[in-house]
Amino acid sequence: MRKKVLATLVPLALAAAYGTGAMAQEAAEAPVTPAAPAAPAAAASGDVAANVDAANTVVVTGFRSSLQKALNLKAQAIGVRDSIVAEDIGKFPESNVAESLQRVPGIILNRDESSAEGQRISIRGLPTEYSVTTLNGAPVNTTSTGSIGNAARGFNYDVFASELFGRVDFFKSPLAELPEGGMGGVVDLQSPRPFDNPKGAVRYSVTAAYNTMSEKTDPAAFGLFSKTWGNWGFLVGGAHSKAMNNRSGFEATGGYNSSARGSKTPVQGNFAMQLDYDDPRANLSGYTRDQVDNALLPRIYRFYGSSNDRSRDGLVSSLQYKDDRLNISLDTMYSKLKNSRDELYYGILIRNSKTTNPSAPPGTAGHNGLVPINVHIDPGSNLLTGTFGNTSYSSGVTYSEDETKFSYAALNANWKATDRLALTAQLSANSSKAQSYQDTLSGQIFGITSTIDYGSDHVYPSLSSTSDYLNPANYSGFGIGTGLTRETDRGRQGRVIADWDYKLWGDWTGHLKTGLVYVETEKGVHKRNATSDMTTKLNSMGNAGLRQGMVFDLPISNLDMGDGWPHRFGTFTRNYTYSTFDPLAYNTEATFTPAQSFTATEKVTSGFVQSDFKGEVLGHGLRINAGVRYSRTELDIDNFKKTGAGGTYQPNQENGSYHNMLPAVSGAFDVTEDLMWRASFGKTISRASLSIIAAQTVVPNPFDNSATAGNPNLRPQQSKNMDTSLEWYFRKGSLLSAAYFRKVLTDATVSSTTQTTFGALGLPDTAMGAIFYGPDGRVDPNLPMTLRTYSNAGRQVLKGYELSYQQDFDFLPAPYKGFGMLASYTHIDPFNSQKWITNAGKEIEVNSVPKYAYSTTAYYETGPWAVRFSYNYKGRSLHGDNPKNNGDDLIRWRAARGYLDGNISYKINDNLELRLDALNLSNTLSYDYFEDATGQYGSGKKTRMDYAKYDGRTIKIGLRGKL
């Protein structure tokens, strides 16, 4: 299928652009940010770099010019660096910064599960928190949507509109001048300034976006004004967008298990369950009990549907003074991201089902073991389907709101004291404030007979029963859950840097760079949970009161549910849920949850010195960068810890400090006039997520029986990095390169899981959702729980290689000379924090990150027409929740997935452009699946699926112009 899609790209582009004439226009110069950690000042003198720069002085525009600017920056750098450059001020190549970065070799994109937008990046197989993001050189942190409260160190790119940035630099190899903490790499976002275009500019765009799943059309707009008056300049820009995205599909909510394993003590597999063979209706349908007992059922067999309404607003400004010696700017940025998300689910609860008290009402706790009546075992997947007695349905909704506000201000100054000495200073402050709150309201139908069948499409299986889903009298066992989370990030940074050019022997020259940096960051997580208070109100309303609030037309429209699932059932609207159980009114300070809340402050003082050396060896250009960075980190944690005989949480303080010496050496050697060899070595660190350092034992998801325990004694992780590459700049605008990387990690943070009980955790009942409450209103202390703990591992090795190709086909005759292409491929050797061993003792090779990923883009530009299609693919990877065998011999994979995007633009005149963008043309299915490690029942890729959902396609049409 992918080959067919890619094979159509060139004909489509040709059809769109054929017959138009060439049209040369003046290219804007790439913006340079003095305060950012740009390429070393002595860079552009190697033979290859000079030749590339000279070859690319031809006048080009559009996407082609963006690629050439990025290629120039790459060739000029001594270390391994890639860049994404705006086609023009306020005209970034993609609508999302993270989605632009995914075409850089080694970068793997992680998308937000609600909006399907690119959100975080993984670099060369390392988790997202192993990279550092800076804004004009200053470290920044922000979070959004589902990651609020996780206290992760990563950066959520979906908070920002791409039009707010002029360039993104990505550093893979360590340099002494770069901030520590980026074991994977450092990404520097650069905002525009007025002297990036001294002639002045007014840019605007208006867009309408249509999503095929939500069937809604939403607006987007952008405007930017930039002007200079002599030595002064001012720039201001703003962006607004809205988007509604629907998702739907099947969820097993954590995997599959058999009655044989789920009934063991301790439980083998992801959840406990036991079929009821003693019920008089039990019928094995010709199978042996052993066959039925070892067949697989999902944790929950349910349909999931959601609608996410997103809005994003952004502002950027810059006041700049610039003369021959002095460059001063005051830069600011603001962004606000809001999501309003509606989710509904309907299906059979299988986890924790077991009959120990047949006299209890059917389907309730103690009498909820499923009874096989007329069952079938699929020989290929070992999935158990058919008719079951004593099933219980759960119909639930979750309504949530989240908002992230980010603000940034920086004062930058660069003074050329002499022709050889320059001083740079920066003071910056940034703040990210995120809040999310939600209600989950559910009701159940107990003890009915149901038939389940996956059919040919496991994304939309079937469910039927003899019960009336539309009769409110059938619903009882109502439950409510709620929570409010706030996560704040504050940062303050100051640095002073000196650059000095000096001469060495012969034609050799040097460029010394040294500086002092102080960074203070504070992360706070504040959680509240009013589930207990809401449950009191819910109980006072009784079944009759809650039934009156039910509706039977689904509160989310345009959901794809398939033909076999009921399209109407009892549920609750957002208005009823929030008006009856107002999450803001209930989640007050009195419901504060100390075990999950903390404030952590890190103060990092650093100094660095590095030098570039430039000259020739036997007639070949050689550039070297060598330096060292010293940093001292002080960590202060304010959290809460259980103390005393009563086990109450009391304020607790912990602190620590450590220091690091981080050397780095890079070199670039011109083998020929168009072939460059690079090599680099350096030491880097990454700090563990604060959520697993500062928090106590918590249940992240109250509707999932798993918990995590923090470890305040975790040490920072260290890595010794080696990179080497060959880059062949074989013609103008073209590159063919191969790179090898190797990272030796020590003290890496790894997780491990153990099986325990809820009572052993010492947590209050409010830590769990209403679905776990028994008739007495309490959580069974013997409820099986999976506890995840964290520790420092020994030595691990991560290695792989990257291939990259870029070519401008201007050597072809007209009209084909407008074609161009770029592609990259990354391979990462299998890497996992712990061994995956089958029950029979066989070690299975697994990879915690995609073993490979690739990106390819074909484009065509000529005259007023421009066409571009991109396909980005990443292979499967081991799911982080199941890093080892849980006793079921099932390997949980995140399925491989690829996304096809495209755009077509037409310049109506020099000042106005019509643009059509298409995102996720492939309508990619995202899902997990469970592979049978024994090989007996196959990969499970299209059968034993979980969280299988489609996002739909998004089509945007709009105008971009300038005045």
Side-chain angles (χ1 to χ4, degrees), residues 784-917:
M785 299 287 294
T786 300
L787 178 64
R788 182 181 303 278
T789 57
Y790 299 89
S791 61
N792 290 110
R795 180 179 180 273
Q796 297 174 322
V797 178
L798 174 66
K799 58 184 178 180
Y801 62 87
E802 299 165 351
L803 304 175
S804 181
Y805 165 71
Q806 177 178 325
Q807 187 165 11
D808 183 351
F809 297 152
D810 60 349
F811 57 89
L812 294 175
Y816 309 108
K817 64 188 304 180
F819 281 112
M821 183 177 180
L822 59 152
S824 66
Y825 176 88
T826 301
H827 173 90
I828 302 168
D829 283 6
F831 174 79
N832 192 40
S833 59
Q834 42 192 310
K835 293 182 178 181
W836 211 102
I837 309 294
T838 68
N839 293 340
K842 179 183 177 182
E843 183 175 349
I844 303 294
E845 183 182 90
V846 295
N847 47 286
S848 60
V849 298
K851 188 183 295 186
Y852 66 93
Y854 64 83
S855 172
T856 181
T857 298
Y859 64 91
Y860 183 79
E861 291 182 335
T862 185
W865 285 100
V867 181
R868 184 167 85 246
F869 286 91
S870 298
Y871 185 77
N872 297 280
Y873 181 89
K874 62 179 180 180
R876 71 177 187 177
S877 59
L878 191 68
H879 197 288
D881 287 347
N882 295 87
K884 66 176 185 178
N885 186 8
N886 289 330
D888 52 13
D889 276 342
L890 293 177
I891 308 172
R892 184 176 181 179
W893 296 104
R894 291 190 184 275
R897 61 193 67 172
Y899 292 86
L900 175 65
D901 304 321
N903 64 62
I904 300 174
S905 63
Y906 178 81
K907 279 191 175 181
I908 300 172
N909 54 47
D910 287 346
N911 298 319
L912 189 62
E913 174 184 288
L914 177 66
R915 185 180 177 96
L916 176 69
D917 290 271

Side-chain angles (χ1 to χ4, degrees), residues 320-583:
Q320 187 177 13
Y321 173 87
K322 186 177 182 180
D323 61 26
D324 293 339
R325 292 285 182 182
L326 187 61
N327 186 353
I328 302 175
S329 67
L330 176 63
D331 304 323
T332 67
M333 184 173 288
Y334 173 82
S335 188
K336 181 172 74 172
L337 179 72
K338 294 184 66 175
N339 289 279
S340 181
R341 187 163 49 261
D342 300 351
E343 302 171 90
L344 64 84
Y345 356 83
Y346 191 76
I348 300 175
L349 303 175
I350 299 173
R351 49 90 188 114
N352 301 321
S353 59
K354 181 180 181 180
T355 294
T356 56
N357 180 17
S359 62
T364 62
H367 190 190
N368 56 2
L370 272 63
V371 181
I373 296 177
N374 182 15
V375 294
H376 172 73
I377 302 174
D378 178 64
S381 64
N382 199 33
L383 289 174
L384 184 64
T385 58
T387 302
F388 298 86
N390 209 23
T391 61
S392 295
Y393 286 25
S394 177
S395 176
V397 290
T398 296
Y399 295 113
S400 58
E401 299 283 328
D402 68 70
E403 179 179 89
T404 297
K405 294 180 179 179
F406 176 87
S407 57
Y408 160 89
L411 179 63
N412 310 279
N414 178 264
W415 176 46
K416 294 181 180 178
T418 69
D419 291 341
R420 299 170 62 184
L421 177 64
L423 300 177
T424 301
Q426 183 187 64
L427 291 173
S428 69
N430 62 85
S431 171
S432 173
K433 299 179 180 179
Q435 175 176 282
S436 68
Y437 56 87
Q438 68 284 323
D439 276 353
T440 296
L441 181 59
S442 63
Q444 299 188 55
I445 303 177
F446 290 116
I448 62 176
T449 299
S450 303
T451 300
I452 63 174
D453 184 12
Y454 295 97
S456 59
D457 182 1
H458 287 238
V459 181
Y460 300 111
S462 65
L463 172 69
S464 62
S465 80
T466 56
S467 179
D468 184 0
Y469 308 134
L470 307 181
N471 183 356
N474 289 334
Y475 290 87
S476 60
F478 295 97
I480 184 72
T482 188
L484 182 148
T485 300
R486 291 175 180 152
E487 182 171 341
T488 58
D489 287 281
R490 295 184 177 90
R492 291 173 290 277
Q493 185 246 189
R495 60 178 172 167
V496 178
I497 297 173
D499 289 86
W500 178 50
D501 290 318
Y502 60 95
K503 288 186 176 295
L504 294 167
W505 60 92
D507 293 330
W508 281 79
T509 59
H511 178 84
L512 181 69
K513 191 169 194 175
T514 185
L516 296 174
V517 184
Y518 176 78
V519 178
E520 182 177 322
T521 59
E522 178 187 281
K523 181 178 282 291
V525 174
H526 179 100
K527 293 196 175 188
R528 301 176 181 179
N529 191 303
T531 297
S532 178
D533 294 341
M534 282 193 180
T535 300
T536 300
K537 178 176 182 179
L538 180 141
N539 291 337
S540 70
M541 296 173 64
N543 288 338
L546 286 155
R547 289 166 181 163
Q548 292 178 0
M550 298 190 86
V551 297
F552 297 91
D553 291 323
L554 302 187
I556 303 176
S557 59
N558 303 319
L559 286 178
D560 190 353
M561 305 180 70
D563 297 329
W565 207 270
H567 286 216
R568 299 182 70 219
F569 44 81
T571 187
F572 302 93
T573 65
R574 169 181 278 265
N575 183 62
Y576 174 81
T577 303
Y578 271 23
S579 62
T580 309
F581 305 98
D582 185 346

